[in-house]
Amino acid sequence: MARWRVGVDSGGTFTDVCLFDEEAGRVEVWKVSSTPDDPSRGIAQGVEEGMRRVEPDAAQPGSPVAYFGHGTTVATNALIQHRGVKTGLVTTDGFRDLLEIGRQKRPDLYDMQADKPPTLVSRDLRHEVPERVRHDGRIDLALDEDRMRAAAKALKQAGVKAIAVSFLYGFIRPEHEKRAVEILRAEMPDVFISAGHEIAPEFREFERLSTVVLNAYLGPVMRNYIERLTPRLRDLGMTATPHLTQSNGGVIGFGTAAEMPVRAVLSGPSTGVVGAQAIGAVAGFEDLITFDMGGTSTDVALLNGGACKLTSEAIVHGYPIKAPMLDIHTVGAGGGSIAHIDAGGLLKVGPRSAGADPGPVCYGRGNAEPATTDANVVLQTLNPHYLLAGRMKVDQGLAKDAIGRLAAQLGLGLMETAQGIISVVTANMARAIRVISVQRGYDPRDYTLMAFGGAGPLHAARLARELDMKRVLVPPYPGILCAMGLLLTDLRADFAATKLLPATAGSVGEVAAAFDGLAKRATEWFAHEEIAAGDRHLSRTADMRYAGQNYELAVPLPDGPVCAATIATLAEGFAESHKQRYGFVAEGEPVQLVTLRLEATGRVKKAELKSYPEAGPDAAGAIIGERDVWFPEAGAFVATPIYAREALKPGNTFTGPAIVEQMDTTTVVLPRMTARVDAYLNLILEVAA
């Protein structure tokens, strides 16, 4: 019996399963509808059905599983829908309103009607405690333990399910926070407690406070989810240790994930980027813009030289988070995004989504508002009769009726309205890509667009044309690439220490000592995760800025002992990064080191991407039919060949217009585009000369 590595990506609409046979190198995929009421149910169903297909004789479907990796949107969805738990906060005397005041900067400076996201802890549940540590670690005022006990009793009386503890300089000297946690645990042993020095031990008091509050707010949600999923996997006979994806692209054990859910808010999208990085490397395309379009949202990222940048801070759905994460930008544009007419009479699409249930109108589950998927069904770029290779029936008549009602309001024809929905979605996604490319000094025309997610290949050709990009790469299993990414990633943890120091030779001693401390913490983590010495890897970076700047840039640290040459190399790297991002270098201005970071990676056995022999250019054997597809270039339906993706062989080439169908997605090849299959079964679309 084969031993299987299983990756599962649980999204808002579908749950994707990727299975890799360790011995034969075989890859199998499976897809089921998500179960938003209890995502663990859909995951267990997907694993059971997928394993039954590949190992029908197994006594239990989970018994041949050697590795289980999982990406989830549970934390993200709880944050979006504000379904966290009742949370309390204990902070330094005088700072309880910091959570609500935030920063002076305003994202919508001229919008008088801009809505702020709800404050996650109401004012009556925010308690102040006398204590004060100075910026240099000196204690000005010891923690008032009597006031701390009073705060604990008040929060207990209020019935909170989670508590965040964040003192002003707890990241420099955590004794007060540690003692506060001890008092809270003695009073409320069953309440979820998060402390700032454990979750975000970095400077910037508001962002650190926001992060620890989010961790507390989401903690019981993630813990309950893991407690539901774990026995379901056990009931399948699975003995492999389960892992969950972090926002930084690595994986952690379920226990760590339950304590630090804030590190998993981009759990699902991050593994798609990891998968794209691995596929791009073997296909020979290291400069990529990833385009992951699912049922609810679209995630984009830029890979320069085969690597996606890490960011130490991001705003996720309006809330600042200080945690290591891949630099991924998200917009509310997916297959389930609902089309509507705004108060000004303009067509808009998203961010509201029909989700998995009831789903788009064509699913026939009671939704009456047309979604992006309905537009594709009407245009017949999607199969007008079924999805998932026949497993899910769709009703084109219902989609036409819904879009027809929208067309009547707009005074347009049915097909023009359906195409208009696609054009609006394309514009939304192009805007997202410009954020991570043009706005950061990168020209998207220099990059290959890698399309994945259930809806990515369906829209990729039009998106590339909108951005004047010349090449699109569609991996073999684009609909489940996030799940496959789970089989291509390593265990990973990030450690940080804030040290405001000048970037001069005089800082060598403090920088070296700080990295020694981080390395010690990394060694403890390696031991906890049982990573063999030969599979351990460390990489160092420093967040740097000009003195007086509000934002930092991450600069890689060269290997070897820290010395004066190390600091000089850092200063040179900072100047290059600053010129790339902002277009100039401030000669003569003093440069500061702000936060020192250490990334610990534990290498694990991963799925291997196989190459296949050339089979010649003739792709006629993969044609399985023909259907009329609406192309705005022609202003009419065009008879279009349909290719079966699984029948395409390396070397096969064909020209658009064409449709490529497979179980997990559909790829549209526009007129004046050529398509070819490479040795790794990737489909590469290029603008014809």
Side-chain angles (χ1 to χ4, degrees):
M1 183 181 294
R3 297 291 289 170
W4 294 88
R5 300 177 68 80
V6 178
V8 180
D9 177 49
S10 175
T13 306
F14 288 104
T15 294
D16 306 323
V17 183
C18 183
L19 308 106
F20 173 72
D21 182 343
E22 288 187 341
E23 297 174 5
R26 179 165 55 119
V27 175
E28 298 286 344
V29 299
W30 194 242
K31 203 175 186 84
V32 297
S33 290
S34 293
T35 51
D37 60 310
D38 180 2
S40 67
R41 188 159 45 86
I43 292 167
Q45 177 191 345
V47 172
E48 181 174 20
E49 291 182 8
M51 288 302 301
R52 290 291 187 203
R53 287 180 68 247
V54 298
E55 292 286 354
D57 298 328
Q60 286 184 290
S63 57
V65 175
Y67 172 87
F68 179 83
H70 168 41
T72 180
T73 56
V74 165
T76 314
N77 291 342
L79 180 57
I80 294 170
Q81 299 167 27
H82 300 114
R83 289 190 294 102
V85 301
K86 187 176 183 179
T87 303
L89 169 64
V90 178
T91 189
T92 303
D93 197 14
F95 286 85
R96 75 169 179 169
D97 291 324
L98 176 63
L99 188 65
E100 205 156 353
I101 295 169
R103 293 281 177 195
Q104 185 179 355
K105 60 185 179 183
R106 299 292 177 260
D108 301 293
L109 189 59
Y110 300 106
D111 185 353
M112 301 297 289
Q113 309 299 323
D115 294 324
K116 289 179 66 176
T119 305
L120 299 180
V121 182
S122 59
R123 196 168 192 271
D124 62 305
L125 298 177
R126 304 198 294 257
H127 288 264
E128 299 174 334
V129 177
E131 71 85 36
R132 181 57 66 94
V133 174
R134 296 290 295 272
H135 68 281
D136 57 4
R138 288 182 292 125
I139 294 178
D140 264 2
L141 181 65
L143 175 68
D144 188 328
E145 296 195 7
D146 291 337
R147 287 279 296 275
M148 185 62 231
R149 290 188 183 90
K153 292 181 187 300
L155 290 171
K156 182 178 182 179
Q157 184 69 27
V160 299
K161 303 296 182 185
I163 300 173
V165 179
S166 183
F167 293 149
L168 192 59
Y169 282 103
F171 68 97
I172 289 178
R173 190 163 181 174
E175 287 98 321
H176 288 176
E177 285 190 358
K178 289 179 178 179
R179 181 58 184 145
V181 169
E182 289 175 0
I183 292 170
L184 287 167
R185 289 221 158 99
E187 190 69 35
M188 292 176 284
D190 297 327
V191 167
F192 187 93
I193 299 173
S194 290
H197 71 276
E198 296 174 340
I199 304 302
E202 301 178 37
F203 91 135
R204 288 208 170 95
E205 65 277 9
F206 169 58
E207 288 77 9
R208 183 174 67 258
L209 176 61
S210 172
T211 304
V212 71
V213 165
L214 273 168
N215 197 76
Y217 180 74
L218 299 173
V221 175
M222 180 65 83
R223 186 168 60 187
N224 292 342
Y225 166 70
I226 288 174
E227 287 174 353
R228 287 195 303 270
L229 177 59
T230 302
R232 289 187 188 276
L233 297 176
R234 195 182 304 120
D235 290 345
L236 294 177
M238 190 180 299
T239 57
T241 301
H243 292 89
L244 191 88
T245 326
Q246 299 180 90
S247 304
N248 63 10
V251 292
I252 49 176
F254 271 18
T256 306
E259 294 302 316
M260 292 189 174
V262 76
R263 296 204 170 193
V265 290
L266 295 179
S267 172
S270 67
T271 48
V273 174
V274 172
Q277 183 175 326
I279 289 173
V282 298
F285 302 108
E286 292 193 330
D287 292 337
L288 297 169
I289 291 177
T290 65
F291 168 48
D292 176 7
M293 184 176 181
T296 306
S297 62
T298 292
D299 305 297
V300 297
L302 185 140
L303 276 66
N304 200 35
C308 180
K309 283 190 175 181
L310 266 180
T311 180
S312 60
E313 183 180 320
I315 295 177
V316 181
H317 303 292
Y319 299 98
I321 294 179
K322 254 197 168 308
M325 56 185 72
L326 295 177
D327 194 0
I328 298 171
H329 185 63
T330 303
V331 291
S337 294
I338 291 172
H340 61 280
I341 299 172
D342 70 5
L346 299 176
L347 178 64
K348 301 285 187 181
V349 184
R352 277 196 309 128
S353 174
D357 190 11
V361 176
C362 62
Y363 285 13
R365 295 176 182 165
N367 176 35
E369 297 180 280
T372 307
T373 295
D374 295 306
N376 280 300
V377 167
V378 168
L379 296 167
Q380 299 196 160
T381 45
L382 271 179
N383 192 302
H385 306 296
Y386 57 79
L387 302 175
L388 301 183
R391 289 169 46 217
M392 176 182 283
K393 303 295 181 185
V394 295
D395 190 328
Q396 188 187 49
L398 291 176
K400 285 183 175 179
D401 290 344
I403 293 178
R405 291 191 293 271
L406 206 61
Q409 292 178 264
L410 292 167
L412 296 173
L414 175 67
M415 305 312 296
E416 289 79 9
T417 303
Q419 185 59 49
I421 292 171
I422 303 303
S423 298
V424 171
V425 168
T426 301
N428 291 342
M429 297 182 296
R431 192 179 308 117
I433 285 179
R434 291 188 181 102
V435 167
I436 54 110
S437 58
V438 177
Q439 291 187 20
R440 299 178 186 179
Y442 300 97
D443 189 339
R445 293 174 296 184
D446 297 334
Y447 291 76
T448 296
L449 184 69
M450 180 178 279
F452 53 97
L458 190 63
H459 295 264
R462 294 218 174 277
L463 179 59
R465 183 168 287 180
E466 177 84 6
L467 294 162
D468 201 22
M469 299 175 73
K470 305 302 182 188
R471 185 184 299 111
V472 177
L473 190 155
V474 183
Y477 307 104
I480 54 84
L481 188 64
C482 288
M484 177 176 277
L486 284 154
L487 307 182
L488 298 169
T489 191
D490 290 309
L491 289 168
R492 182 167 162 177
D494 293 89
F495 306 93
T498 291
K499 294 285 182 182
L500 281 168
L501 298 168
T504 61
S507 299
V508 167
E510 288 190 71
V511 172
F515 274 119
D516 287 344
L518 296 178
K520 182 179 178 182
R521 292 168 58 192
T523 301
E524 292 170 355
W525 177 79
F526 281 134
H528 180 266
E529 295 291 341
E530 299 179 349
I531 303 296
D535 294 326
R536 300 178 180 185
H537 177 72
L538 298 174
S539 64
R540 304 175 295 182
T541 58
D543 291 355
M544 302 178 69
R545 68 180 183 185
Y546 288 118
Q549 272 188 317
N550 269 341
Y551 299 98
E552 298 82 46
L553 296 173
V555 181
L557 203 76
D559 292 333
V562 176
C563 59
T566 307
I567 306 298
T569 302
L570 281 174
E572 292 170 5
F574 171 73
E576 292 174 8
S577 296
H578 199 276
K579 189 169 185 178
Q580 166 68 48
R581 176 64 67 89
Y582 300 113
F584 72 96
V585 174
E587 298 287 355
E589 288 293 320
V591 177
Q592 288 181 326
L593 299 164
V594 179
T595 300
L596 307 177
R597 302 185 184 279
L598 183 71
E599 176 190 300
T601 303
R603 299 187 183 94
V604 298
K605 187 174 181 180
K606 293 183 279 292
E608 297 178 7
L609 302 172
K610 292 179 61 177
S611 63
Y612 297 86
E614 180 87 7
D618 186 7
I623 296 176
I624 56 173
E626 181 181 276
R627 72 167 173 263
D628 291 338
V629 178
W630 176 275
F631 285 98
E633 293 85 352
F637 281 100
V638 176
T640 304
I642 310 298
Y643 291 81
R645 180 70 187 267
E646 61 272 16
L648 290 170
K649 308 296 182 186
N652 285 181
T653 59
F654 55 95
T655 58
I659 300 291
V660 181
E661 290 187 345
Q662 59 193 103
M663 186 276 290
D664 55 326
T665 195
T666 297
T667 303
V668 174
V669 185
L670 295 178
R672 296 192 66 252
M673 284 190 114
T674 61
R676 63 182 174 89
V677 182
D678 74 0
Y680 293 90
L681 301 180
N682 297 303
L683 188 61
I684 299 169
L685 315 182
E686 295 180 295
V687 177

